[in-house]
Amino acid sequence: MLQQKTAQFMAAVLGMFIIATAQVHAQDAAKAPKLANVTILATGGTIAGSGASSTTTVGYTAATVGVQQLIKAVPELSKVANVNGEQVFQIASESMTNDHWLTLAKRVNTLLAQNTVDGIVITHGTDTLEETAYFLNLVVKSRKPVVLVGAMRPSTALSADGPINLYNAVLLAADPSAAGKGVLVAMGDQIHGARDVSKTNTSTPDAFKTTELGMLGYIQGGKPFFYRVSTRKHTADAEFDVSNLTSLPQVDIVYGYANMNTVALDAFVAAGAKGIIHAGTGDGSVAAKVKPGLIAARKGGTIIVRASRVGQGILARNGEANDDELDFVVSDTLSPQKARILLMLALTKTNNTKELQRMFYNY
Ligand code: DAS
């Protein structure tokens, strides 16, 4: 009889303990911050690359590891966000095309329109990462964070930078402070703005820099720290809309150098280019032998944008050429490859050179 009573008493105590523990867990869960929902869109590149050995840091194969494997390789992601992954494509980014950009932009805008998606991370090859970032900076119709991330070493290499770059990109996309700042690039514990970042080294892990205009901040100890923002229009404030576009106007780049000729320029124009970016020497200078070709192209209806191969500085209007007289546009501080992107999108709206020049001073 006594034993039965004791057993009943112990059962009651145990039951109360279990209920109390469950209540504590429930209270803790209620207090724990709700994690943001971040979708990872994978496109390929070195971050998804693999090499023959752990010491292979060049001459590896890009775009071999799938998005689920990338996520599985960084279990810490689940501590900073609820992540899910989509393999949008699997390419080395030197092979990125306008069609890829339109597909990616439409997917990003569809996802960001859903209130169950708080931010997006795009894993991408580093070769054209800056270009995709700038394209999205002009066409994403949301203030939610969009963060591009890559790696300079394949996932199989000693000190591979992909996993920590991916972890940083996800925690950045999950952080409310990243909203409204335009498309961001997270590489090497740094936060860069899409407009002004570029890949400045062929192979070292610190390749991504915003040399003169300055990066936006750092990621340290699992937190983003912003110190500046871009002054140019982007994302929800931009006037470009790709939702109904199935192609983009053809714009090509001619590179300036000593002894330059017009063979490439003439070929691009003959092939139907709607715009030419002239990546001139110095302040966008035009060689005497080339100027007649640019003038003829302009007269034939092709838009001419003077840019510079130099990499930094403002391209002065009416400096090295009389742009007012020749009806040329100047690229402001955009690199030739980014000037091409802005001109492509601008030509979906207008071919009025005054309007085009306004856009180069706005974005
Ligand atoms: N080929 C490069 C690319 O896919 C590899 C890389 O650096 O990501 O951009």
Side-chain angles (χ1 to χ4, degrees), residues 44-47 60 62-63 91-95 124-129 150-153 199 202:
T46 293
I47 193 167
Y60 50 81
I91 61 168
S93 78
E94 61 269 25
S95 302
H124 194 290
T126 60
D127 287 5
T128 60
L129 191 148
M152 294 302 292
R153 293 179 178 147
K199 181 176 180 180
T202 57

Coordinates of all heavy atoms in Angstrom, one line a residue, residues 44-47 60 62-63 91-95 124-129 150-153 199 202, ligand 1:
G44 N 26.2 29.4 -59.5 CA 27.4 28.7 -60.0 C 28.6 29.4 -59.4 O 28.6 30.0 -58.3
G45 N 29.7 29.4 -60.2 CA 30.9 30.1 -59.8 C 31.9 29.3 -58.9 O 31.6 28.1 -58.6
T46 N 32.9 29.9 -58.5 CA 33.9 29.3 -57.7 C 33.4 28.9 -56.3 O 33.8 27.8 -55.7 CB 35.1 30.2 -57.5 OG1 35.8 30.4 -58.7 CG2 36.1 29.7 -56.5
I47 N 32.4 29.7 -55.8 CA 31.9 29.3 -54.5 C 31.2 27.9 -54.5 O 31.1 27.2 -53.5 CB 30.8 30.4 -54.0 CG1 30.5 30.2 -52.5 CG2 29.6 30.4 -54.9 CD1 29.7 31.4 -52.0
Y60 N 40.8 25.2 -61.2 CA 39.8 24.3 -60.7 C 38.5 24.3 -61.6 O 38.5 25.1 -62.5 CB 39.4 24.7 -59.2 CG 39.0 26.1 -59.1 CD1 37.8 26.6 -59.5 CD2 40.0 27.1 -58.8 CE1 37.5 28.0 -59.5 CE2 39.8 28.4 -58.7 CZ 38.5 28.9 -59.1 OH 38.2 30.2 -59.1
A62 N 34.7 25.5 -61.8 CA 33.6 26.3 -61.2 C 32.3 25.6 -61.4 O 32.1 24.8 -62.3 CB 33.6 27.7 -61.8
A63 N 31.3 26.0 -60.6 CA 29.9 25.6 -60.9 C 29.7 24.1 -60.9 O 29.2 23.5 -61.9 CB 29.4 26.2 -62.2
I91 N 26.5 28.1 -63.6 CA 27.4 28.4 -64.7 C 28.6 29.2 -64.1 O 28.5 29.7 -63.0 CB 26.8 29.3 -65.7 CG1 26.3 30.7 -65.1 CG2 25.7 28.6 -66.5 CD1 25.9 31.7 -66.2
A92 N 29.8 29.1 -64.8 CA 30.9 30.0 -64.5 C 30.4 31.4 -64.9 O 29.9 31.6 -66.1 CB 32.1 29.6 -65.2
S93 N 30.6 32.4 -64.1 CA 29.9 33.7 -64.4 C 30.5 34.5 -65.6 O 29.9 35.4 -66.1 CB 29.9 34.6 -63.2 OG 31.2 35.2 -63.0
E94 N 31.7 34.1 -66.1 CA 32.1 34.7 -67.4 C 31.2 34.4 -68.5 O 31.2 35.1 -69.5 CB 33.5 34.3 -67.8 CG 33.7 32.8 -68.0 CD 34.1 32.0 -66.8 OE1 33.8 32.5 -65.7 OE2 34.8 31.0 -66.9
S95 N 30.3 33.4 -68.3 CA 29.3 33.0 -69.3 C 27.9 33.6 -69.1 O 27.0 33.2 -69.7 CB 29.3 31.5 -69.5 OG 30.6 31.0 -69.8
H124 N 27.4 33.4 -56.6 CA 27.7 33.9 -58.0 C 29.2 33.8 -58.3 O 30.0 33.9 -57.3 CB 27.2 35.3 -58.1 CG 27.1 35.9 -59.5 ND1 28.2 36.1 -60.3 CD2 26.0 36.2 -60.3 CE1 27.8 36.7 -61.5 NE2 26.5 36.7 -61.5
G125 N 29.5 33.5 -59.5 CA 31.0 33.6 -59.8 C 31.5 35.0 -59.6 O 30.7 36.0 -59.8
T126 N 32.8 35.1 -59.4 CA 33.3 36.5 -59.1 C 33.6 37.3 -60.3 O 33.7 38.5 -60.3 CB 34.6 36.3 -58.3 OG1 35.6 35.6 -59.0 CG2 34.3 35.7 -56.9
D127 N 33.8 36.6 -61.5 CA 34.2 37.4 -62.7 C 33.2 38.5 -63.1 O 33.6 39.6 -63.4 CB 34.4 36.4 -63.9 CG 35.6 35.6 -63.8 OD1 36.2 35.7 -62.7 OD2 35.9 34.8 -64.7
T128 N 31.9 38.2 -63.0 CA 30.9 39.2 -63.4 C 30.0 39.5 -62.3 O 28.9 40.1 -62.5 CB 30.1 38.7 -64.6 OG1 29.4 37.5 -64.3 CG2 30.9 38.5 -65.9
L129 N 30.4 39.2 -61.1 CA 29.6 39.4 -59.9 C 29.2 40.9 -59.8 O 28.0 41.3 -59.5 CB 30.3 39.0 -58.6 CG 29.5 38.9 -57.3 CD1 30.0 37.8 -56.4 CD2 29.5 40.2 -56.6
G150 N 30.4 35.5 -53.5 CA 31.2 34.6 -54.3 C 32.3 34.1 -53.4 O 32.4 34.3 -52.2
A151 N 33.3 33.5 -54.1 CA 34.5 33.0 -53.4 C 35.6 33.1 -54.4 O 35.5 32.9 -55.6 CB 34.3 31.6 -52.9
M152 N 36.8 33.3 -53.8 CA 38.0 33.4 -54.7 C 38.7 32.0 -54.7 O 39.6 31.8 -55.5 CB 39.0 34.5 -54.2 CG 38.4 35.9 -54.3 SD 37.9 36.3 -56.0 CE 39.5 36.4 -56.8
R153 N 38.3 31.1 -53.7 CA 38.9 29.8 -53.7 C 37.8 28.8 -53.8 O 36.7 29.0 -53.2 CB 39.7 29.6 -52.4 CG 40.9 30.5 -52.3 CD 41.7 30.3 -51.0 NE 42.9 31.1 -50.9 CZ 43.3 31.6 -49.8 NH1 42.7 31.4 -48.6 NH2 44.4 32.3 -49.8
K199 N 36.0 43.8 -59.0 CA 37.0 42.8 -58.7 C 38.3 43.3 -59.2 O 38.5 43.6 -60.4 CB 36.6 41.5 -59.5 CG 37.6 40.3 -59.3 CD 37.1 39.1 -60.0 CE 38.1 37.9 -59.8 NZ 37.7 36.7 -60.5
T202 N 43.1 39.2 -59.9 CA 42.7 38.0 -60.7 C 42.4 36.8 -59.8 O 41.6 35.9 -60.1 CB 43.8 37.6 -61.7 OG1 45.0 37.4 -60.9 CG2 44.0 38.6 -62.7
Ligands
DAS1 N1 35.2 31.6 -63.5 C1 34.9 32.4 -62.3 C2 33.5 32.7 -62.3 O1 32.6 31.8 -62.3 C3 35.2 31.6 -61.0 C4 34.9 32.5 -59.8 O2 35.9 33.2 -59.4 O3 33.8 32.5 -59.3 O4 33.2 33.9 -62.2

